[in-house]
Amino acid sequence: MNYSKFAAMIGTSTIVMLVLMYLTTYSWDHVFFSETRLFMAIVMGAAMAFIMLMFMLGMYKSRRVNICILAGSLAVFALSLWLARSQETVDDVAWMKAMIPHHSIAILTSERANISDPRVQELAAKIIEAQRAEIAEMKALINDLSNE
């Protein structure tokens, strides 16, 4: 089998996973690039590369290349997971750009869930109101900080 096709499959799948993470945002204007989501997509891509190669070892004959792919996948997995969990590279604007889609998902789930208990409905309404206000505040701060 062709290793470049394997790499293209993993790369394409990783990009698709990154895009799919935004499908549950409430509104398209809540979609901002997020380093954290990128790191998580890479974590998933690295895990997928490792698992898929293990299932398809019989199709890929180069022991040396296979070991490099498996070791590289583990290294990329570990580094990306550390970056996602440590937030080491995330500054003020990057943090807000990650939080807006996160808050947007809270709006979507709070607004569209089948909630019947009045107490839970009240909680969902408070969450929607708070998340919208915080998204507006973060957008304003992003604009302010981007113009400095």
Side-chain angles (χ1 to χ4, degrees):
M1 282 296 277
N2 186 337
Y3 284 101
S4 56
K5 271 190 173 180
F6 182 82
M9 175 180 59
I10 298 301
T12 302
S13 298
T14 301
I15 292 166
V16 168
M17 284 185 273
L18 177 62
V19 171
L20 291 175
M21 284 189 243
Y22 289 97
L23 292 181
T24 54
T25 55
Y26 180 76
S27 172
W28 287 113
D29 68 318
H30 295 168
V31 174
F32 288 84
F33 173 75
S34 164
E35 289 177 39
T36 302
R37 281 180 172 73
L38 175 63
F39 299 148
M40 288 310 300
I42 294 171
V43 163
M44 290 183 276
M48 185 174 63
F50 188 94
I51 292 166
M52 290 179 75
L53 185 59
M54 291 302 291
F55 271 95
M56 299 187 299
L57 268 178
M59 297 167 59
Y60 294 93
K61 303 297 183 189
S62 174
R63 181 174 165 80
R64 185 180 58 80
V65 174
N66 291 345
I67 289 170
C68 287
I69 291 171
L70 294 172
S73 296
L74 290 174
V76 168
F77 177 91
L79 176 62
S80 298
L81 184 60
W82 178 79
L83 287 167
R85 293 192 54 81
S86 72
Q87 297 291 288
E88 187 69 27
T89 65
V90 178
D91 63 11
D92 297 349
V93 171
W95 176 78
M96 289 183 289
K97 287 182 175 183
M99 290 305 293
I100 290 172
H102 172 76
H103 281 42
S104 184
I105 292 167
I107 294 169
L108 180 102
T109 58
S110 297
E111 192 173 279
R112 298 189 180 160
N114 255 345
I115 301 171
S116 58
D117 187 288
R119 298 167 297 177
V120 180
Q121 287 174 340
E122 182 181 342
L123 176 60
K126 288 178 186 176
I127 288 171
I128 291 166
E129 182 181 342
Q131 302 305 301
R132 285 191 172 145
E134 289 174 6
I135 288 171
E137 182 178 0
M138 286 186 280
K139 283 182 171 183
L141 281 169
I142 289 169
N143 282 336
D144 285 351
L145 293 171
S146 297
N147 291 327
E148 288 181 357

